[in-house]
Amino acid sequence: MTTSDASSDLWVFGYGSLMWRPGFEFVEARPALLKGWHRSFCLYSLHYRGTPDHPGLVLGLDRGGSCRGVAFRVAAAKAAITVEYLNERELVGYAYVAKTLKVGLDDGSKVPAYCFVADQRHRHYAGDLELEKAASIIMDAQGCAGLNRDYLINTVRRLETDGFLDKSLHTLLTEVERQTGLIDQGAGI
């Protein structure tokens, strides 16, 4: 484990589903800001939020900008098992690279946090898709973890709970709602 030694706590930065479904024990969760990376629906999902025949999109950290999220502090005694869990959850089948990056906490301090960034060289890297295309993929996809649009909705809700607005996610959600309305009205897409 390269994220911390056995005697120190581990910080984990969540910016997508880890914010609202971490799946590991933690001592505290605090709003956090990561600079130099932004949240983006830039990775195709062939399992959790899509299938090989009908891929969905999931969030990744892509270079540039900044990203609000949640920093989870994990007790040192649980650090190794948490990293093992996270690597199994996030690295298997996805285009992520595990990194330790400095995040700013709400009290102004900075901590090294374990997080997952998008691997732009991976075949599942979708890049910066046009709004209508991304919305169409998200609206129609479903994987073993459920509807792709629920992933978007849950992320937006968690950010709002913490008092943050991610304008790009709200714009994407508005477009998903618009396209869903067209289908509901029988207009098709």
Side-chain angles (χ1 to χ4, degrees):
M1 179 174 71
T2 61
T3 57
S4 67
D5 62 48
S7 64
S8 60
D9 290 347
L10 168 74
W11 286 91
V12 175
F13 181 68
Y15 57 89
S17 64
L18 285 178
M19 290 190 309
W20 41 272
R21 191 178 56 82
F24 56 87
E25 289 182 46
F26 54 90
V27 177
E28 65 177 314
R30 295 171 60 181
L33 176 66
L34 174 63
K35 292 184 179 178
W37 300 86
H38 69 281
R39 178 188 297 106
S40 174
F41 272 95
C42 63
L43 300 174
Y44 289 112
S45 174
L46 310 181
H47 181 67
Y48 288 120
R49 297 295 173 167
T51 65
D53 293 332
H54 200 86
L57 286 174
V58 291
L59 292 165
L61 289 173
D62 225 346
R63 292 202 176 271
S66 62
C67 179
R68 290 267 178 204
V70 177
F72 298 94
R73 184 169 61 88
V74 177
K78 300 280 187 178
I81 196 165
T82 299
V83 168
E84 183 179 325
Y85 163 76
L86 289 170
N87 287 348
E88 184 176 316
R89 172 178 164 170
E90 302 295 334
L91 295 180
V92 176
Y94 279 110
Y96 293 117
V97 175
K99 288 193 178 277
T100 300
L101 301 170
K102 291 268 187 184
V103 298
L105 302 178
D106 52 352
D107 65 0
S109 64
K110 293 187 180 193
V111 296
Y114 195 62
C115 56
F116 298 93
V117 302
D119 180 356
Q120 295 181 346
R121 297 170 293 156
H122 196 281
R123 70 185 185 281
H124 294 159
Y125 179 73
D128 186 21
L129 297 174
E130 291 184 13
L131 177 67
E132 293 81 9
K133 171 94 173 151
S136 178
I137 291 169
I138 290 169
M139 183 186 67
D140 289 336
Q142 179 174 350
C144 69
L147 296 172
N148 201 172
R149 67 187 131 191
D150 287 344
Y151 176 86
L152 169 60
I153 292 165
N154 288 335
T155 302
V156 168
R157 284 183 181 153
R158 175 58 200 246
L159 287 167
E160 289 174 342
T161 297
D162 289 339
F164 301 117
L165 170 73
D166 184 314
K167 186 177 179 189
S168 65
L169 290 189
H170 275 273
T171 301
L172 183 57
L173 182 56
T174 298
E175 179 61 18
V176 167
E177 291 168 344
R178 184 190 75 77
Q179 289 184 20
T180 301
L182 292 175
I183 289 175
D184 290 344
Q185 294 170 12
I189 293 191

